Amino acid sequence: MRWVRRGITTLVGLTALALVVLYGGSAMLLDRRADVELPQIKAATNPLDILEGGRLARIEGCLDCHGGDARGRLAFDQPAIARITAPALARVAENATDGQLARAIRNGVSIEARPLFMMPTQALNRLSDEDLARLIGWMRSLQTSAFDKVAPKEVGPLGRFGLLIGKFQDSVTRTGGQPRRRPADIGRYLVETVCLECHLIDREKIEPATGHAAPPLAAMVAGYDPAALRTLLRTGKAVGNRDVGLMSEASRKGLYALTDPEIDSIQAYLRTQLRR
Ligand code: HEC
Ligand code: HEC
């Protein structure tokens, strides 16, 4: 009988050790200090810039994740993996400097200098200084309310395991070299700052936490009928009046604010990106 007891003791010990590694290791990744320099950006104050900031907040998907009224939304909810709230933006702005807000959007670093998750910095990182200033000006124009949602993130055992093996990654990025103003090639700029939140130019992209697959963008868009592309982005209805899941949602919640010339420029740019 002694070997049974010893076996059980070993098993309990190993389980405890695994839990320590899982929780300790993942806590180090979740709470690490992300030392990224604060961008030198000042919030726009001109009403037209603030208005454009609000339009950008739709196009960039801020309102899709942070709630249609920017009052915060439970953005991810699979208890074994994580529960993550995209916080009310007025509440965040109230307690942050312009530089801290700019760093959250551009570099995926929280106001307290910790890593943020789910912020699509691979695309937001390319926004010009001027557009970032507009977005921050718009955030500063929002009123706080009793319905504001803010909540600390909760990460479950599967989420922690995913972090440790590198399946899930935080949004921290240091890439620099953003333009001061929007470049003349607006099609390319919009593809890089908006569509690449979910797509890749020449390959399918699968989102690890949700399993959503976004088709290769250039091939998909280049062949689209121009009027049908406008309808898709305006209404969420794809060719053949189909609902296309996340894409339809992104269109209805934000991409609809793209203008016709912007949509045409997006298509024109993507046609130059087709593999020959
Ligand atoms: C795909 C969903 C998504 C999109 C798109 C998105 N956010 Fe977020 N954002 C989040 C989530 C989720 C968090 C909280 C992350 C965390 O706690 O780790 C967050 C955090 C933030 C924070 C930092 C809050 C803090 O307490 O430090 C700011 C500021 C912010 N978002 C602003 C924006 C703005 C402005 C945009 C648009 C340019 C935007 N977000 C687009 C999901 C998103
Ligand atoms: C929030 C994520 C997200 C963003 C942002 C996004 N897409 Fe998509 N897109 C998807 C996903 C996911 C699909 C696949 C939808 C499906 O078939 O279920 C898709 C599908 C498409 C399709 C194929 C529709 C069809 O007929 O099946 C086109 C075209 C498209 N996207 C263009 C764009 C363009 C252009 C942009 C930028 C302006 C963009 N997308 C931005 C997630 C996104």
Side-chain angles (χ1 to χ4, degrees):
M1 278 323 266
R2 193 177 304 152
W3 59 272
V4 174
R5 209 174 307 147
R6 196 174 301 156
I8 291 175
T9 314
T10 311
L11 199 65
V12 169
L14 284 178
T15 309
L17 185 67
L19 284 176
V20 167
V21 170
L22 185 63
Y23 279 79
S26 58
M28 267 166 61
L29 294 176
L30 287 166
D31 302 335
R32 75 186 168 92
R33 254 195 98 76
D35 282 314
V36 179
E37 216 179 305
L38 292 170
Q40 300 289 313
I41 304 264
K42 284 257 152 298
T45 49
N46 168 325
L48 278 180
D49 282 327
I50 291 174
L51 206 64
E52 180 62 4
R55 188 178 80 101
L56 277 171
R58 290 178 202 287
I59 296 171
E60 297 296 338
C62 322
L63 294 178
D64 188 352
C65 290
H66 287 264
D69 45 13
R71 292 214 170 117
R73 195 172 74 91
L74 188 56
F76 187 86
D77 187 17
Q78 291 185 27
I81 303 179
R83 179 169 290 165
I84 308 181
T85 299
L89 292 179
R91 211 45 88 82
V92 174
E94 193 178 48
N95 300 308
T97 63
D98 290 346
Q100 286 170 328
L101 292 173
R103 187 179 62 177
I105 301 167
R106 182 170 274 177
N107 305 107
V109 174
S110 81
I111 308 308
E112 293 89 19
R114 299 292 181 267
L116 287 169
F117 287 77
M118 286 180 74
M119 280 283 280
T121 43
Q122 74 279 12
L124 299 182
N125 184 260
R126 315 216 195 179
L127 283 170
S128 70
D129 291 348
E130 192 179 44
D131 280 339
L132 210 48
R134 289 173 171 144
L135 276 165
I136 295 169
W138 165 77
M139 283 177 67
R140 293 227 175 278
S141 75
L142 301 170
Q143 306 286 317
T144 56
S145 110
F147 302 104
D148 283 347
K149 274 204 202 71
V150 284
K153 70 182 151 262
E154 294 164 27
V155 185
L158 289 183
R160 288 173 185 271
F161 185 67
L163 269 175
L164 283 182
I165 63 169
K167 180 175 182 200
F168 302 137
Q169 269 157 9
D170 63 41
S171 308
V172 178
T173 168
R174 288 165 205 276
T175 329
Q178 295 82 1
R180 250 179 50 69
R181 293 170 188 284
R182 261 181 224 174
D185 187 349
I186 195 69
R188 176 178 181 172
Y189 181 66
L190 288 168
V191 164
E192 290 181 346
T193 58
V194 182
C195 314
L196 297 195
E197 284 182 14
C198 304
H199 290 271
L200 291 170
I201 296 279
D202 56 2
R203 274 172 293 140
E204 180 181 65
K205 181 175 173 188
I206 299 181
E207 180 59 42
T210 57
H212 286 303
L217 194 64
M220 188 46 104
V221 172
Y224 234 80
D225 171 68
L229 185 62
R230 290 184 198 155
T231 305
L232 170 60
L233 296 177
R234 275 292 129 60
T235 66
K237 287 291 175 200
V239 166
N241 206 28
R242 282 170 307 133
D243 190 277
V244 282
L246 191 63
M247 181 64 202
S248 297
E249 234 172 87
S251 302
R252 283 194 299 266
K253 291 190 179 163
L255 298 177
Y256 71 84
L258 288 164
T259 65
D260 285 351
E262 283 172 340
I263 296 173
D264 295 347
S265 314
I266 287 172
Q267 190 171 39
Y269 169 68
L270 286 169
R271 284 185 169 151
T272 70
Q273 296 304 297
L274 274 182
R275 284 267 178 79
R276 268 160 273 258

